[in-house]
Amino acid sequence: MKRSISLLLLVGMLASMLAACGGGQAQPTATPQPAAQATTAPAPTAAPQPTAPAATPGQVIKIATQSPLSGGQAALGTGIKNAAELAVKQLSGPLAELGFTVVLEPFDDQARPEVGSANAKNIVSDQDILCVVGHLNSGVALAALPDYKNARLAMVSPANTNPNITEGGYEVAFRVVGRDDVQGAVAEKFAREELGVKSVYIIHDTTAYGQGVAEFFRQNALANGLQVLGFEGTEERSDFSAILTPILAANPDLVFFGGIYDQAGPLFRQARDRGITAQFMGPDGLESEELVTLAGDAVDGMYYTTVAAPVSQFPDAAKYAQDYQAAFGDAAPAFSAQAYDATGICLTAIANAAKAAGGKPTREQVLAAIKALTSYKGITGTYTFSPKGDPNPATYFVLQVNAANWNENRLVTRLEIAPPGEAPAGGATQFDLAALAAQLGAVAGRLGTIKIATQGPLSGGQAALGTGMKNAAELAVEQLNAQLGALGIKFELVPFDDQARPEVGSANAKNIVSDQDILCVVGHLNSGVALAALPDYKNARLAMVSPANTNPNITEGGYEVAFRVVGRDDVQGAVAEKFAREELGVKSVYIIHDTTAYGQGVAEFFRQNALANGLQVLGFEGTEERSDFSAILTPILAANPDLVFFGGIYDQAGPFFRQARDRGITAQFMGPDGLESAELVDLAGDAVDGMHYTTVAAPVSQFPKAAKYAQDYQAAFGDVAPAFSAQAYDAANICAAGILSAAIAAGGKPTRAQVVEAIRNLPPFPGITGTFDFNAEGDPTVATYFVLKVNAADWNQNELISRLEIAPPQ
C-alpha cells in the first residue's frame, strides 16, 4: 500500500455550499411487502448461510452481511452478499497466515427495518462475528444500529447514504459511499444549472433513504429559487394514478423521485403513459438495470445521481468484474464493488487488530482498527474515514440512462467532495507540505537549490499556452518557497522556450540534462516536441511531468521517465468520434491534420473509430499551410461533408476555419484540445461560434478546486489563467512532491533516478485539476475528457456538454 502524504487540495465552491447542508432528520418507515411475500418469507430472524467450512473452535472469525436477498430489491442485495463472499475468498490471506478461518454469515434483511433489527440481535449474539457489511437500505441500517452499538460491533456500509448513519451517535458505523445531504445538493445543482429546469415536483417513498434525499433536494431547490410544485410521499407500488393526476396538472419541468428502482420503474412508466413530459431524475436508489426492465423507454435519457455508478466506472475494479462474472454467472451490479471494499476494510482491520492483540481480537479492538485505518486502497477508491465514519472524500456521479444498454449509461460528471463540516483530506486551501516538512529535518540543509525546468513555446503563434504553463510553474515554485523557506529549502524555475519545434526542444533537452541541479521537467505543450526531447531525458533518468502531451507514445514509447496529468489521444479521438456520430448525428466527415505527432495522431484515432463505426470518411489530409488554405478547401467544398474535423493547434485552425466559412463550407466544425485557447476566436471570429471540441484541459473555470489558483494567477500576471496552466501548476507540484519524497528516502539530495521512482510511487496526489495516481507507464489511472461548445462572444462561457472520467487503454 502506498504511503500517505499531505498535499494540495483546494476546497471547491460546490463543497463549500454542501457543507452547510447539515444532517437532516428522516424517520425510517417500513415499506410493506406484497401479501404473498409476507406470508411465505422466512421469519424475521432469517437463518444465516455460511459460505465457508467451520474451523477449529476459537480460530474462526466471521463477517456478517445484511441486505435484501429476497423481494424486489434482491438484485442489489444479492450483489452485496456475493461481493462479500468473493472478498472473503480473495482477501483473507493475512488472517489465514495468523491461523484463522474466515466465514461469511449472510442475512436476508428483506429491505424491512423490523427484519434488519431482528437479524442484528442474532448477529451480535454470535461472538465470532467481528464486523458487519451492510446494509443496502438506510432505514434498515438505522433499525439495526442500536444493537451493533450496544455490542461495539463495527458496521461498514457499501450503500447507506442517510446522514444519520454517521451523525446519529452510533459510534460503530462506517461507510464507503457519500451522503444524501451532499447527493441531494449535487442533484439539485445539476437540475438547475445543467438541465435548466425552473420547476420540480418531488415524490418520495417515505423511507429514511428516499424521503431523506428528496428532502435535501427540496431544501436546496427552495434555497436556490427553483419552484417546488409538490412534495409527496407514497407507498404505492402498482397504480400511481392518484399521485400522477396532480403532477400532470402542475406541469413541472422535472419530476424527482426519491426511492428505489423497483418502485420508481412503474411510476416513471405510468407517468409517460399519462402524458407527463417532464424530465425525470432521481438518486442512487435507481442504480440498477432493473429500472429499465420495469420502466422501458420511459427512462431513456433520464439523469440520476449516484454514490456507486456502474462497476465499469472504476478502473481498478476490472479484475473484480471478471471474477464476479466467473463466480456468479452474472455482471456485477452497482454497490457490489463497494461491498467488496467494505469487506476488505473489515478483513484488514481484523488482521491489524489480531496482530496487535497477539490473538483473536475483541470487537472493540476491531472497531479501533477501522478508525485507525488510513488510505485503504480499494477497487472503488482510497478510503480514510472521518471521525464520524464518513469517507473523506466521497465520490458522487451524475449519469444519463441508456435504456438499450445499462452498461453504456453516460457519465456526465464525477465529483470528489469532503463530508459536510470536514476539511478535505490531504490539505486545505494551500499547498500543505507539513507532513513532509516534519520528516525533512536535517535533510533540508543538504538539499541546496533544487531546480525544476519547463519547456514550452514562449514565442511564436502558440506562446499563449506555453507562457501560461511557464507562469503556472513559476507560481507553484514561489508558493513552495514561501512555505519551505524557513527550512532552508529553495526551488528555482529554469524556463526554456522550445518554440513548438522538435529540433529546438531536443537542443534544449541537452542543455537541461547537463545541469545536474535540475531534478524534474514540466513540459511540453506539443507532443512532437516532447518526443524529440525524451531520449535525452531517458538517458539522464530525468523525470518529465507533462501538463499537455496527449500522444500515446509519450508513455507507451519505453522512455520510462515520462508522466502526464492529462489523457491520451487514442481515448480523445474515440470520445470525439462517438460524440460527432451519436450527439451531432453526422454521417460523413472530412479530416484535416497539421502533420505533427499530436495533430496527425489524434486525427488518425478519430479516423480509425469513424471507419469502425460506419461514419463515412470523405478525406484525410495533412497540411503545413498557415495562411492560404485554398488548395485544401476546394476538395472539402466539393465533398460537402457533414463535419470537418481538424487535428492541430488553434493558431493554424483559426485561419483554416475562417477561410472555410468564407468559401461557403457549411459543415459543422470539430477538433481536439489543441483548439483550447481564446486565440482561436481572435483568429476565426464567428466561424467557430457554436462549434464543438474535445479537450483534456478545459477552461480553468471547469475545475472548482482551481478557484484560488485562478485568482493568484490573475494577481501575479495580470491576465486570465489559460488552458493547460492549471495542469502545469499540478505538474510542478508533483515534481516537488517527488523530489522531496526522494530526498527523505535518500537522506539528502536525491539522484534523478530516485526522483523518477518517487513520482511513480506517490500516493494519489490531490491537485487542483484532479487527483492523480500514475500507472506503471506514467498515465493517470483516471483521466478527464471534456466536450465543450464554443461561445465566440466570451470564451470563458464555453458550454460544457460532457465530462468523462476514463481509464487509459490497457
Side-chain angles (χ1 to χ4, degrees):
M1 190 179 301
K2 294 181 178 178
R3 294 182 292 108
S4 291
I5 60 176
S6 181
L7 297 166
L8 172 64
L9 185 59
L10 293 176
V11 180
M13 295 180 288
L14 177 61
S16 299
M17 176 192 77
L18 298 176
C21 291
Q25 302 295 316
Q27 299 302 316
T29 306
T31 302
Q33 299 291 312
Q37 282 195 354
T39 58
T40 61
T45 54
Q49 306 161 37
T51 60
T56 304
Q59 294 302 305
V60 172
I61 287 175
K62 297 179 181 179
I63 292 176
T65 61
Q66 276 228 67
S67 60
L69 306 180
S70 58
Q73 299 175 31
L76 296 186
T78 301
I80 289 173
K81 187 269 291 183
N82 288 348
E85 182 179 318
L86 192 59
V88 165
K89 182 177 180 180
Q90 295 181 344
L91 305 179
S92 295
L95 282 166
E97 291 174 4
L98 295 173
F100 297 104
T101 296
V102 181
V103 175
L104 185 71
E105 298 276 7
F107 287 76
D108 180 5
D109 65 24
Q110 302 173 36
R112 296 166 57 194
E114 67 275 17
V115 177
S117 175
N119 286 346
K121 291 174 173 56
N122 280 337
I123 288 170
V124 301
S125 69
D126 184 343
Q127 293 301 314
D128 288 330
I129 295 178
L130 298 185
C131 199
V132 178
V133 173
H135 297 240
L136 174 65
N137 308 86
S138 291
V140 183
L142 290 169
L145 272 167
D147 287 294
Y148 300 154
K149 176 182 178 179
N150 291 338
R152 305 302 291 162
L153 178 60
M155 179 194 83
V156 185
S157 176
N160 297 148
T161 51
N162 186 284
N164 286 334
I165 297 293
T166 51
E167 297 281 354
Y170 299 107
E171 302 171 355
V172 298
F174 305 84
R175 54 178 148 207
V176 298
V177 291
R179 300 161 42 133
D180 287 332
D181 43 357
V182 181
Q183 184 177 190
V186 167
E188 186 276 336
K189 187 173 190 289
F190 181 83
R192 178 170 38 84
E193 295 187 357
E194 303 301 328
L195 301 184
V197 304
K198 305 297 184 184
S199 61
V200 60
Y201 205 109
I202 304 171
I203 306 297
H204 62 81
D205 64 1
T206 76
T207 68
Y209 162 71
Q211 184 171 346
V213 70
E215 177 59 35
F216 289 120
F217 187 101
R218 175 168 73 165
Q219 289 174 12
N220 283 272
L222 294 174
N224 293 306
L226 191 59
Q227 189 178 12
V228 178
L229 301 178
F231 184 87
E232 296 183 39
T234 179
E235 297 180 5
E236 180 58 54
R237 308 191 72 81
S238 57
D239 183 358
F240 294 92
S241 301
I243 208 159
L244 292 175
T245 298
I247 296 176
L248 185 63
N251 191 29
D253 296 332
L254 177 73
V255 173
F256 182 91
F257 178 80
I260 308 293
Y261 61 88
D262 58 331
Q263 187 180 15
L267 171 69
F268 288 139
R269 178 175 48 77
Q270 292 177 39
R272 282 286 182 261
D273 291 345
R274 284 290 298 275
I276 293 172
T277 59
Q279 296 187 73
F280 296 152
M281 194 174 188
D284 50 14
L286 311 188
E287 181 65 86
S288 172
E289 60 185 321
E290 291 293 315
L291 177 71
V292 175
T293 302
L294 295 166
D297 289 342
V299 294
D300 190 43
M302 75 165 284
Y303 296 89
Y304 66 98
T305 58
T306 180
V307 298
V311 176
S312 58
Q313 293 297 339
F314 300 98
D316 292 338
K319 184 177 183 300
Y320 160 79
Q322 295 172 354
D323 293 345
Y324 188 102
Q325 178 79 44
F328 305 107
D330 203 355
F335 295 105
S336 68
Q338 286 78 8
Y340 185 92
D341 279 347
T343 309
I345 287 168
C346 284
L347 291 167
T348 300
I350 293 170
N352 290 346
K355 291 174 186 175
K360 189 170 183 176
T362 66
R363 288 170 171 174
E364 189 71 54
Q365 289 169 330
V366 173
L367 180 61
I370 295 177
K371 290 180 178 179
L373 204 61
T374 58
S375 296
Y376 175 85
K377 191 168 180 61
I379 60 173
T380 62
T382 299
Y383 295 104
T384 298
F385 296 110
S386 73
K388 293 178 180 177
D390 289 305
N392 187 1
T395 306
Y396 299 84
F397 304 84
V398 180
L399 291 110
Q400 186 178 29
V401 172
N402 182 330
N405 185 350
W406 184 266
N407 291 320
E408 293 295 325
N409 284 359
R410 182 169 71 96
L411 174 63
V412 178
T413 190
R414 174 178 180 154
L415 304 167
E416 304 248 338
I417 306 173
E422 293 286 334
T429 59
Q430 295 290 325
F431 182 68
D432 180 13
L433 282 175
L436 281 178
Q439 302 176 59
L440 286 168
V443 173
R446 296 196 290 271
L447 295 182
T449 297
I450 301 168
K451 295 181 180 178
I452 295 174
T454 61
Q455 276 228 65
L458 306 180
S459 59
Q462 299 175 33
L465 296 187
T467 301
M469 287 165 45
K470 186 269 292 182
N471 288 348
E474 181 180 318
L475 186 61
V477 164
E478 288 178 358
Q479 293 178 352
L480 283 164
N481 287 337
Q483 292 171 290
L484 298 172
L487 294 173
I489 296 174
K490 182 181 179 182
F491 285 87
E492 179 182 327
L493 188 73
V494 186
F496 286 78
D497 179 6
D498 65 23
Q499 301 174 39
R501 295 166 57 194
E503 67 275 16
V504 177
S506 176
N508 287 344
K510 291 174 173 56
N511 285 331
I512 288 171
V513 300
S514 68
D515 185 343
Q516 293 301 314
D517 288 330
I518 295 177
L519 297 183
C520 197
V521 179
V522 174
H524 296 242
L525 174 66
N526 307 88
S527 290
V529 183
L531 290 170
L534 271 167
D536 287 294
Y537 300 154
K538 176 182 179 179
N539 290 339
R541 302 300 296 157
L542 178 62
M544 180 193 83
V545 184
S546 177
N549 297 146
T550 50
N551 187 285
N553 286 334
I554 297 295
T555 51
E556 297 282 351
Y559 299 107
E560 302 171 352
V561 297
F563 305 86
R564 55 177 149 208
V565 298
V566 291
R568 299 162 42 130
D569 287 331
D570 43 358
V571 179
Q572 183 177 191
V575 167
E577 186 276 337
K578 187 173 190 286
F579 180 83
R581 179 169 38 83
E582 294 188 356
E583 304 300 328
L584 300 183
V586 303
K587 305 296 184 183
S588 61
V589 60
Y590 206 108
I591 305 172
I592 306 297
H593 62 81
D594 63 2
T595 76
T596 68
Y598 162 71
Q600 183 170 347
V602 71
E604 178 59 36
F605 288 120
F606 187 101
R607 175 168 72 166
Q608 289 174 10
N609 283 272
L611 293 174
N613 293 305
L615 190 59
Q616 188 178 12
V617 178
L618 301 177
F620 184 87
E621 297 183 38
T623 179
E624 296 180 5
E625 180 59 54
R626 309 190 72 82
S627 57
D628 183 358
F629 294 92
S630 301
I632 208 161
L633 290 174
T634 298
I636 296 175
L637 185 63
N640 191 28
D642 296 334
L643 177 73
V644 173
F645 182 90
F646 180 86
I649 309 294
Y650 62 88
D651 60 329
Q652 187 183 17
F656 171 78
F657 286 137
R658 176 173 49 77
Q659 292 177 39
R661 281 287 183 258
D662 290 346
R663 283 291 298 273
I665 293 173
T666 58
Q668 297 188 72
F669 295 153
M670 195 173 187
D673 50 14
L675 312 188
E676 180 65 86
S677 173
E679 295 287 320
L680 178 70
V681 176
D682 292 341
L683 295 167
D686 289 342
V688 294
D689 189 44
M691 75 167 283
H692 295 87
Y693 66 98
T694 58
T695 179
V696 297
V700 176
S701 59
Q702 293 297 338
F703 301 98
K705 295 174 186 174
K708 184 176 184 300
Y709 160 78
Q711 295 172 354
D712 291 344
Y713 189 102
Q714 178 79 45
F717 305 108
D719 203 356
V720 175
F724 294 106
S725 69
Q727 286 79 5
Y729 182 88
D730 279 344
N733 279 318
I734 288 170
C735 280
I739 292 167
L740 294 175
S741 296
I744 293 168
K749 191 166 186 175
T751 65
R752 287 169 169 173
Q754 289 170 329
V755 173
V756 170
E757 288 308 303
I759 293 174
R760 192 177 309 283
N761 292 309
L762 281 176
F765 183 98
I768 59 173
T769 62
T771 299
F772 300 105
D773 193 12
F774 298 111
N775 67 12
E777 284 73 37
D779 288 307
T781 55
V782 177
T784 306
Y785 300 83
F786 303 85
V787 179
L788 291 111
K789 184 177 182 180
V790 172
N791 183 329
D794 184 352
W795 184 265
N796 291 318
Q797 294 300 315
N798 284 359
E799 181 187 355
L800 175 64
I801 304 298
S802 182
R803 175 177 180 149
L804 305 168
E805 306 270 340
I806 306 175
Q810 299 298 312

